[in-house]
Amino acid sequence: MNDEEEFAYTGYTDDNRESAITAAAGDDEELAYTGYAENGEEHIPPPVYGDFIIEEFSSEVNVPRIARKTGISQEIISYVFAALYLIVGVLCVSITRQVQGIIPYIVGGVMVLVGLIRFITAIVRKEYRTVKTNQTASSLIFVALGIMIIIESEWAISFISIVWGILGLMEAARAFNHAFSKIAASERCIYHIIKGIVEVVLAFMLLYEPDHHLETHIIVFGVQLIIDAVYMIPWVKRRFSLE
């Protein structure tokens, strides 16, 4: 994603980027919320649309974030993410029924783990002292929901399907948004259009009959992870950028 496209996506332009950095420079909470550091260095800007959760768990956001915190190069981390995506994708395609059976435990476990990490981070940062953000409280709710999903695994299948469908609509909107941006820039957009259409169809299938189409969605999700893993490889990404 080039700089102009990123600014268009996050709501910043070349003219007002500096003012956004300056406005955020005095408050740590707002710094974390706006994605800029105290020295004006740009961090990963959060999206201004309804797909914050998607962005929060996306490789585009987490690869640079992990690189900053660990000091490891983004290229090495990209290869690690690509390998993980490939492994999970192959498992989703090859043992779909088994994956469907353990999805509540995977989702619930991840939610508990992420919630606890975010809660500890919020306590260390004393985030609870301000009302501008709600990480401390939301982390506890996230943990509680994760535990409920683990305990009520049969109910969780329908719940996860519905939430997955809603997230799919958000992902479709994001894909179409990228397509519109590339069309405006006279760039190729067929990948984003196809991805948006597939996401919309699968999302409506999940929302209409959540118990019957989860297996199909897992297969398609696995294929998508495999494709994303290939595209995530640095030399592949560079090649497509140069074409």
Side-chain angles (χ1 to χ4, degrees):
M1 183 184 297
N2 55 37
D3 291 339
E4 292 180 0
E5 183 179 353
E6 183 175 358
F7 292 150
Y9 187 66
T10 57
Y12 291 105
T13 63
D14 292 329
D15 296 331
N16 64 15
R17 182 185 177 203
E18 291 298 328
S19 61
I21 297 174
T22 303
D27 192 318
D28 289 342
E29 299 300 336
E30 291 182 4
L31 296 177
Y33 205 68
T34 57
Y36 292 99
E38 292 180 358
N39 57 7
E41 178 185 357
E42 183 180 354
H43 288 180
I44 301 300
V48 294
Y49 302 108
D51 55 353
F52 174 78
I53 296 177
I54 296 173
E55 285 291 320
E56 185 70 12
F57 291 97
S58 69
S59 60
E60 290 87 349
V61 170
N62 286 292
V63 168
R65 178 184 296 169
I66 295 174
R68 285 197 310 272
K69 292 183 178 180
T70 62
I72 303 173
S73 69
Q74 289 192 29
E75 186 163 321
I76 294 176
I77 297 175
S78 294
Y79 278 112
V80 173
F81 266 74
L84 291 175
Y85 275 40
L86 181 62
I87 293 171
V88 175
V90 170
L91 290 176
C92 288
V93 174
S94 59
I95 53 173
T96 308
R97 289 188 178 275
Q98 290 85 339
V99 171
Q100 181 175 347
I102 62 175
I103 272 186
Y105 305 102
I106 296 175
V107 173
V110 169
M111 290 180 66
V112 171
L113 179 61
V114 171
L116 288 175
I117 293 174
R118 289 175 62 87
F119 177 73
I120 294 172
T121 302
I123 294 297
V124 171
R125 293 174 55 236
K126 297 183 179 180
E127 182 270 347
Y128 52 83
R129 296 171 62 182
T130 178
V131 295
K132 295 179 180 178
T133 56
N134 62 355
Q135 183 175 330
T136 305
S138 63
S139 298
L140 291 175
I141 295 174
F142 209 61
V143 171
L145 181 58
I147 294 174
M148 182 176 179
I149 288 175
I150 294 174
I151 295 175
E152 299 292 338
S153 57
E154 293 186 5
W155 161 84
I157 292 294
S158 298
F159 174 75
I160 292 172
S161 298
I162 293 173
V163 173
W164 203 346
I166 295 173
L167 293 178
L169 293 178
M170 295 179 181
E171 181 66 25
R174 181 183 178 218
F176 285 131
N177 188 56
H178 280 297
F180 297 153
S181 176
K182 290 184 177 295
I183 291 173
S186 299
E187 298 176 357
R188 286 179 293 181
C189 61
I190 186 64
Y191 168 77
H192 295 290
I193 291 177
I194 293 175
K195 182 178 181 180
I197 293 173
V198 171
E199 290 286 355
V200 166
V201 172
L202 289 174
F204 278 115
M205 289 171 61
L206 280 173
L207 291 172
Y208 181 67
E209 291 185 326
D211 294 328
H212 294 88
H213 297 295
L214 182 59
E215 185 174 341
T216 301
H217 200 100
I218 292 173
I219 295 174
V220 176
F221 178 65
V223 173
Q224 182 180 340
L225 284 178
I226 294 172
I227 295 174
D228 288 344
V230 173
Y231 184 74
M232 198 183 302
I233 298 174
W235 71 265
V236 174
K237 185 176 293 187
R238 286 194 294 268
R239 175 174 174 80
F240 276 95
S241 298
L242 293 173
E243 289 182 349

